[in-house]
Amino acid sequence: MAFFERASPALKHILLQLYSADKPFAVEHHLHEFGSLQYHIQSYASEPHHAYLSVSTPLLSTGSSILCELPSSTMETVTRICPEVVEIVDPPRIGYQLTLKLNFAKIPRKKDAAKIITEISSVHTVILSSQLRELLKNVNDQEITQGTYKPIKLVYHQWEPFYVVKQPEKLTAVFPIRIKEDSDVVIAKAFFQELVEVGSSGRFAKAPACYWSAIPPAELRGESMQDLSTNGGFVSFEIMARHVEGKKLEKTVWNLLNFNALVKYHVKCTKGFVQRRMRSRLDSLVEALQHTNMKEDEDEHIGKVKGRTRVKKVMRFMRCKVVMRRWNLKKQIKRIRSRIRIHGFGKFQRRWLKLPSFSSVMRYQKLEKS
């Protein structure tokens, strides 16, 4: 989330290195950050206490006009960051909109040095907040039509414009949400609903009120269909006077300009979290299956080692059964085990070896049931 901070972390790190260096040295850095933001930092050995900072940023503009240069009011705001340290170089470096000459000798060697360098590193935020402030000041009562205030279309990123509606007591910022992948739309809508629920709780009563709608709000009535065709709905924030007082203005403007980036960041992190959980779950299931297979292989190996003779006996017994059924050996074995028969001996036995029959003295009489 480095690009959501007001001060650029990379720019701050380089300026602190130049400031705390014991010996002057020549250096040149090119930084490219989120939102087509570019920095160029250069120092010379011949100028030990100076460094040059050039800034190139997409300027905040309305839908009808596109700005190429910084207005004079923005220049004045930049010089007020630290008048003794910051000096605007005219003309700026080729390819950049603003070049600042930094005098490190005027920065106190105390804890305030880090604070001043942090303010210089947030020059991008100062430029955008001053632009938005000037745009809102230029809105006059002539833009009121039929009792409603005409929305101002602001373009910071080319494909992500948003609208600001200025009213007497509040300022409404409306963001049309466009998401490329359909699977990300579900995550984004869940995030918006959760954001509305959390914002409506008493714990965040001082924060700007947040609303989400699948259809364009009433403030955007009359705008072109091309700008209102979205798949993620519309998110609105109601900004009161207390949200833009003093130094809160820069923070509020920075949060509004990076809201679309915050949504994309949340969707990306959510998808990554879900994928990590799925991978960990899959790994645990694969590990459990591998553990089960290894256990079964060990049991089978132990059974082969311990029951080798038993298996052979069973196989032999099964082979005996198959042979006996196929060749009908059971009847043949019975015949072998029976008595020896001689041809014609039965006739001889009935004629010459006939036993006499005796009549029994004792007779039995069958009793009938009464």
Side-chain angles (χ1 to χ4, degrees):
M1 291 183 63
F3 52 85
F4 295 129
E5 300 179 7
R6 294 176 60 246
S8 171
L11 178 59
K12 180 180 176 181
H13 178 70
I14 294 173
L15 294 179
L16 285 174
Q17 282 186 338
L18 294 174
Y19 171 74
S20 59
D22 297 333
K23 296 180 180 180
F25 58 94
V27 66
E28 185 176 5
H29 292 279
H30 293 271
L31 300 179
H32 297 264
E33 292 190 351
F34 176 79
S36 302
L37 177 62
Q38 299 182 27
Y39 293 107
H40 179 267
I41 307 100
Q42 189 171 12
S43 63
Y44 302 94
S46 58
E47 299 181 21
H49 300 294
H50 295 89
Y52 295 88
L53 171 63
S54 301
V55 184
S56 175
T57 175
L59 300 179
L60 187 63
S61 60
T62 59
S64 57
S65 62
I66 299 176
L67 298 178
C68 299
E69 297 180 357
L70 294 176
S72 58
S73 58
T74 303
M75 295 289 191
E76 295 176 0
T77 306
V78 172
T79 55
R80 286 198 295 267
I81 294 176
C82 189
E84 298 179 354
V85 180
V86 178
E87 180 184 352
I88 297 178
V89 178
D90 191 22
R93 186 181 178 87
I94 298 175
Y96 295 86
Q97 297 149 344
L98 178 67
T99 300
L100 303 177
K101 183 179 180 180
L102 308 178
N103 189 355
F104 292 137
K106 298 294 183 67
I107 300 177
R109 296 281 175 176
K110 296 180 181 179
K111 295 182 179 179
D112 295 337
K115 183 179 180 181
I116 294 174
I117 291 178
T118 302
E119 292 180 357
I120 296 173
S121 303
S122 61
V123 60
H124 178 226
T125 311
V126 175
I127 293 172
L128 295 175
S129 62
S130 62
Q131 283 186 271
L132 182 58
R133 183 171 58 235
E134 293 299 323
L135 287 172
L136 296 179
K137 283 183 179 179
N138 293 333
V139 179
N140 50 32
D141 296 337
Q142 294 178 357
E143 294 185 351
I144 302 176
T145 57
Q146 297 180 358
T148 60
Y149 290 80
K150 184 179 179 180
I152 309 169
K153 180 183 177 181
L154 300 179
V155 180
Y156 177 52
H157 300 295
Q158 184 178 3
W159 303 106
E160 298 174 354
F162 65 98
Y163 296 86
V164 174
V165 183
K166 185 179 179 182
Q167 298 178 359
E169 297 180 355
K170 63 182 180 179
L171 184 74
T172 304
V174 184
F175 294 87
I177 305 299
R178 297 177 179 87
I179 301 175
K180 293 182 179 180
E181 299 183 8
D182 295 337
S183 59
D184 298 346
V185 176
V186 180
I187 300 175
K189 289 183 178 180
F191 170 66
F192 298 147
Q193 294 174 359
E194 184 178 358
L195 187 64
V196 172
E197 292 178 2
V198 173
S200 60
S201 61
R203 184 180 178 183
F204 300 94
K206 295 183 180 180
C210 178
Y211 305 96
W212 177 80
S213 175
I215 60 176
E219 291 84 358
L220 300 184
R221 203 171 284 172
E223 297 296 323
S224 63
M225 292 299 298
Q226 183 179 0
D227 295 335
L228 301 182
S229 58
T230 64
N231 57 355
F234 298 83
V235 181
S236 305
F237 294 96
E238 291 184 355
I239 302 172
M240 303 298 179
R242 65 177 183 271
H243 299 135
V244 292
E245 294 176 351
K247 295 183 178 180
K248 293 182 180 179
L249 175 62
E250 296 179 4
K251 186 176 181 180
T252 302
V253 171
W254 185 250
N255 292 335
L256 291 177
L257 294 177
N258 289 277
F259 179 73
N260 279 299
L262 176 64
V263 174
K264 294 179 180 178
Y265 176 81
H266 176 80
V267 171
K268 185 177 180 180
C269 291
T270 304
K271 290 178 66 177
F273 173 76
V274 172
Q275 290 173 358
R276 286 194 301 270
R277 291 295 300 271
M278 291 175 65
R279 290 194 195 99
S280 61
R281 181 60 177 168
L282 179 62
D283 293 339
S284 61
L285 292 174
V286 171
E287 185 179 356
L289 290 174
Q290 289 179 351
H291 180 71
T292 305
N293 292 335
M294 290 175 61
K295 190 175 180 181
E296 290 180 355
D297 293 341
E298 290 178 358
D299 295 342
E300 185 178 355
H301 179 69
I302 293 171
K304 286 183 178 179
V305 172
K306 291 184 177 180
R308 189 170 182 180
T309 56
R310 181 176 59 83
V311 172
K312 286 185 177 180
K313 290 181 180 179
V314 172
M315 292 300 294
R316 288 176 182 175
F317 180 74
M318 293 295 295
R319 288 177 182 176
C320 294
K321 275 191 172 182
V322 172
V323 172
M324 290 180 67
R325 288 179 181 177
R326 181 175 296 179
W327 300 101
N328 201 7
L329 294 177
K330 193 173 182 180
K331 291 183 178 180
Q332 296 182 11
I333 292 172
K334 284 183 179 180
R335 290 177 182 177
I336 293 171
R337 290 181 180 178
S338 61
R339 59 184 182 179
I340 299 174
R341 293 183 179 182
I342 302 173
H343 182 69
F345 183 76
K347 187 177 181 181
F348 174 80
Q349 183 182 9
R350 287 193 299 272
R351 184 174 181 181
W352 300 104
L353 299 177
K354 185 177 181 181
L355 296 174
S357 60
F358 299 93
S359 60
S360 177
V361 178
M362 299 180 61
R363 293 181 178 272
Y364 295 92
Q365 185 178 358
K366 186 178 181 180
L367 298 177
E368 294 181 356
K369 293 182 180 180
S370 57

